[in-house]
């Protein structure tokens, strides 16, 4: 009720600013920036203007302490490292590919290696069964069916990318693999940590260009991969696969037949697409695109073409444009020109995640979860880190001074905080819909979440 009252009061202040006093959820600690110049150089603006997200505080209370602490402290560590690099004239961000791309890609690739290693027997038996080979320990039929659907879907995706005039099949295979890597690890993070606002800060197209070199990739292939990245992966903060995997995991924990649920999910997706595609097209042609979202309508559509124009100009200045335009097939892998800084960043991301994974497996009191290196350089993490630290601190104090009994007694309080925020958002949507129906004017904007 308290959380609900705060949101409704703040929503009323948007409509009637002269008659209400908003409850500010953002703390202004900007004067403290002078004490932390390295963090400031690293872009840690969020550290000095943290926002209280009640749902995140509650989530942090339920998570394992090492997970909450890692999600909370990760962005600060990243900004400190980025600030240290900037003092030596090294930028971790900027035009893609950049150092952040490769740090994140290295961590994601290492996490995939951890998953494959820890589940190597199951995956090997499932792969053998999926292609019709004999197995010593047959997996369940749902796993085999899932593997077969995955193999067929990957083949279709690769063939779609490799249609003559688009990509050579060699690059299509790599691009498809990197796409799966991104969404698979994002799904793992959501299922293991419960983080519902997540981003993978690396672009498969940028990583491929950075590893092979602009001359080896060529302008045409770079444009195709950049456009596909822009459509599918430029900013997957609300991605379908992580939420679906999370749902299937919940069903599995409750003893529900995951295969049966998955088949119903396929039907739901098909029905959803049949409804969403014509409705979306109708609304966009009848009402126009949402131009208020400048990121989606202005910046993202320009990115692939701006990137390729810069690439062509650089190759032309180097006298390599004609050769790059003619490269094809295995020629993409001749004369690789990966920058040492990119390779070092990739190794650093992979090495840190691997080392922390080993530490967590070997030492019972290991303080930080390796998920820190999967999220630490992302916008969602910077938004939520302060609230994760608050939730972690509350849990530590409660368990230290009140024990497990007090921890359990406070669980309803945390569920109430989540409920208050969700009900508040729902009521605001209803109020806005009623206002629009009555006046024909759009309601005032109000944000429950970032």
């Amino acid at each position: 009720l308290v959380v609900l009252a705060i949101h409704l009061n703040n929503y009323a202040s948007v409509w009637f600013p002269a008659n209400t006093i908003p409850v500010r959820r953002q703390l202004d600690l900007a004067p403290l920036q002078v004490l932390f110049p390295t963090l400031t150089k690293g872009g840690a603006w969020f550290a000095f203007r943290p926002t209280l997200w009640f749902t995140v505080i509650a989530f942090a209370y339920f998570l394992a302490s090492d997970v909450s602490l890692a999600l909370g402290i990760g962005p600060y560590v990243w900004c400190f490292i980025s600030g240290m690099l900037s003092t030596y004239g090294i930028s971790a961000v900027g035009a893609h590919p950049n150092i952040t791309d490769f740090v994140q890609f290295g961590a994601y690739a290492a996490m995939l290696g951890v998953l494959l290693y820890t589940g190597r027997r199951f995956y090997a038996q499932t792969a053998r069964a999926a292609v019709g080979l004999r197995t010593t320990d047959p997996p369940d039929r749902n796993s085999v069916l899932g593997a077969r659907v995955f193999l067929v879907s990957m083949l279709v995706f690769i063939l779609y990318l490799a249609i003559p005039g688009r990509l050579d099949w060699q690059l299509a295979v790599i691009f498809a693999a990197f796409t799966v890597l991104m969404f698979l690890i994002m799904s793992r993070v959501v299922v293991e940590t419960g983080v519902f606002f997540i981003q993978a800060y690396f672009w498969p197209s940028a990583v491929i260009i950075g590893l092979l070199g602009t001359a080896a990739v060529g302008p045409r292939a770079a444009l195709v991969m950049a456009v596909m990245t822009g459509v599918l992966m430029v900013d997957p903060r609300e991605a379908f696969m992580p939420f679906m995997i999370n749902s299937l995991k919940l069903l599995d924990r409750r003893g529900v037949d995951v295969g049966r649920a998955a088949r119903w999910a396929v039907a739901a997706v098909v029905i959803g697409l049949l409804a969403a595609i014509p409705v979306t097209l109708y609304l966009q042609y009848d009402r126009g695109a949402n131009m208020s979202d400048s990121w989606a309508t202005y910046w993202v559509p320009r990115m692939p073409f701006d990137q390729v124009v810069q690439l062509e100009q650089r190759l032309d200045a180097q006298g390599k444009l004609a050769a790059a335009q003619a490269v094809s097939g295995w020629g993409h892998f001749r004369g690789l020109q990966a920058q040492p800084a990119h390779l070092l960043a990739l190794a650093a991301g992979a090495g840190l995640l691997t080392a922390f994974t080993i530490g967590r497996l070997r030492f019972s009191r290991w303080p930080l979860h390796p998920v820190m290196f999967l999220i630490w350089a992302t916008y969602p993490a910077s938004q939520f880190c302060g609230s994760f630290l608050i939730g972690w601190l509350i849990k530590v104090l409660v368990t230290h001074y009140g024990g497990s009994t007090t921890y359990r007694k406070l669980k309803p309080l945390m569920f109430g905080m989540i409920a208050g925020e969700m009900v508040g958002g729902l009521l605001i949507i209803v109020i806005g819909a009623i206002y629009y129906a009555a006046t024909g004017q759009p309601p005032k904007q109000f944000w429950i979440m970032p």
Side-chain angles (χ1 to χ4, degrees):
L1 289 174
V2 171
V3 171
L4 177 60
I6 289 174
H7 285 307
L8 292 181
N9 174 78
N10 290 353
Y11 186 52
S13 70
V14 173
W15 287 93
F16 313 106
N19 301 321
T20 54
I21 301 175
V23 178
R24 299 197 177 277
R25 293 185 296 141
Q26 188 177 67
L27 308 178
D28 188 0
L29 308 176
L32 296 178
Q33 286 182 285
V34 296
L35 301 178
F36 303 94
T38 304
L39 276 178
T40 303
K41 290 180 181 178
W45 52 268
F46 55 86
F48 306 100
R49 292 177 177 83
T51 300
L52 303 180
W53 308 103
F54 299 110
T55 298
V56 178
I57 294 173
F59 265 66
Y61 184 81
F62 292 122
L63 292 175
S65 295
D66 63 332
V67 176
S68 296
L69 181 59
L71 294 171
I73 203 175
Y76 297 97
V77 175
W78 170 254
C79 286
F80 181 80
I81 294 174
S82 182
M84 289 287 291
L85 291 175
S86 68
T87 60
Y88 295 97
I90 302 173
S91 176
V93 294
H96 299 274
N98 55 46
I99 288 177
T100 307
D101 280 320
F102 282 88
V103 170
Q104 289 296 106
F105 174 74
Y108 269 61
M111 190 65 196
L112 176 62
V114 170
L115 296 180
L116 292 177
Y117 177 77
T118 54
R120 58 192 180 279
R121 178 171 179 80
F122 169 74
Y123 295 132
Q125 295 295 315
T126 303
R128 289 178 60 87
V131 296
L133 297 178
R134 184 177 301 174
T135 59
T136 56
D137 186 14
D140 64 281
R141 59 186 182 87
N142 291 328
S143 299
V144 176
L145 178 60
R148 288 172 177 169
V149 171
F150 168 73
L151 292 174
V152 172
S153 302
M154 280 290 285
L155 179 61
V156 171
F157 185 45
I158 292 170
L159 291 175
Y160 175 77
L161 292 173
I163 289 175
R166 289 185 181 169
L167 277 182
D168 293 311
W169 68 266
Q170 294 91 340
L171 291 180
V173 170
I174 298 175
F175 184 86
F178 285 5
T179 302
V180 171
L181 168 68
M182 174 182 286
F183 289 110
L184 176 65
I185 303 305
M186 286 178 63
S187 302
R188 174 73 180 196
V189 172
V190 170
V191 170
E192 187 163 347
T193 69
V195 181
F196 49 87
F197 184 39
I198 186 175
Q199 187 182 41
Y201 193 92
F202 73 89
W203 293 356
S205 59
V207 172
I208 293 173
I209 292 172
L211 290 175
L212 301 183
T214 55
V217 173
R220 177 186 291 275
L223 179 60
V224 172
M225 291 189 294
V227 169
M228 291 297 294
T229 298
V231 172
L232 296 175
M233 294 162 284
V234 71
D235 198 6
R237 292 181 292 180
E238 296 88 18
F240 179 74
M241 181 176 171
F243 296 151
M244 178 58 68
I245 296 298
N246 196 54
S247 301
L248 294 177
K249 177 61 179 176
L250 290 173
L251 293 175
D252 183 54
R253 290 180 62 177
R254 298 296 297 171
V256 178
D257 183 1
V258 173
R260 185 168 179 267
R263 287 188 285 274
W264 279 106
V266 171
V269 170
V270 172
I271 295 171
L273 288 174
L274 291 176
I277 291 174
V279 170
T280 301
L281 291 175
Y282 170 78
L283 290 175
Q284 288 185 345
Y285 278 96
D286 185 60
R287 301 292 180 180
N290 178 19
M291 299 306 293
S292 64
D293 186 359
S294 59
W295 165 252
T297 57
Y298 181 77
W299 292 107
V300 171
R302 292 181 49 164
M303 285 179 182
F305 304 97
D306 289 345
Q307 182 184 36
V308 173
V309 167
Q310 294 173 9
L311 183 151
E312 285 188 329
Q313 291 175 344
R314 190 182 310 117
L315 291 174
D316 190 31
Q318 297 171 348
K320 300 178 181 179
L321 181 58
Q325 290 174 333
V327 69
S328 63
W330 294 106
H332 292 292
F333 303 93
R334 299 193 187 100
L336 304 182
Q337 297 179 340
Q339 295 185 22
H342 291 164
L343 296 179
L344 183 61
L346 190 156
L352 286 170
L353 187 134
T354 304
F356 273 62
T357 301
I358 295 173
R360 189 169 185 266
L361 292 174
R362 295 293 182 183
F363 304 102
S364 60
R365 302 179 69 86
W366 187 261
L368 291 173
H369 194 284
V371 71
M372 180 173 79
F373 304 109
L374 300 172
I375 57 91
W376 62 344
T378 65
Y379 168 76
S382 69
Q383 286 288 300
F384 281 171
C385 60
S387 296
F388 270 116
L389 283 178
I390 293 173
W392 167 80
L393 181 61
I394 292 173
K395 180 179 180 179
V396 169
L397 294 176
V398 167
T399 53
H400 180 75
Y401 292 105
S404 58
T405 302
T406 305
Y407 172 77
R408 288 194 299 271
K409 287 182 178 180
L410 285 181
K411 281 186 176 182
L413 174 65
M414 297 301 169
F415 281 121
M417 290 172 63
I418 298 172
E421 200 141 77
M422 297 303 103
V423 173
L426 179 61
L427 289 178
I428 289 167
I429 291 172
V430 172
I431 293 170
I434 295 173
Y435 177 82
Y436 177 76
T439 66
Q441 298 297 320
K444 295 183 181 296
Q445 290 187 342
F446 183 79
W447 300 95
I448 291 287
M449 287 289 172

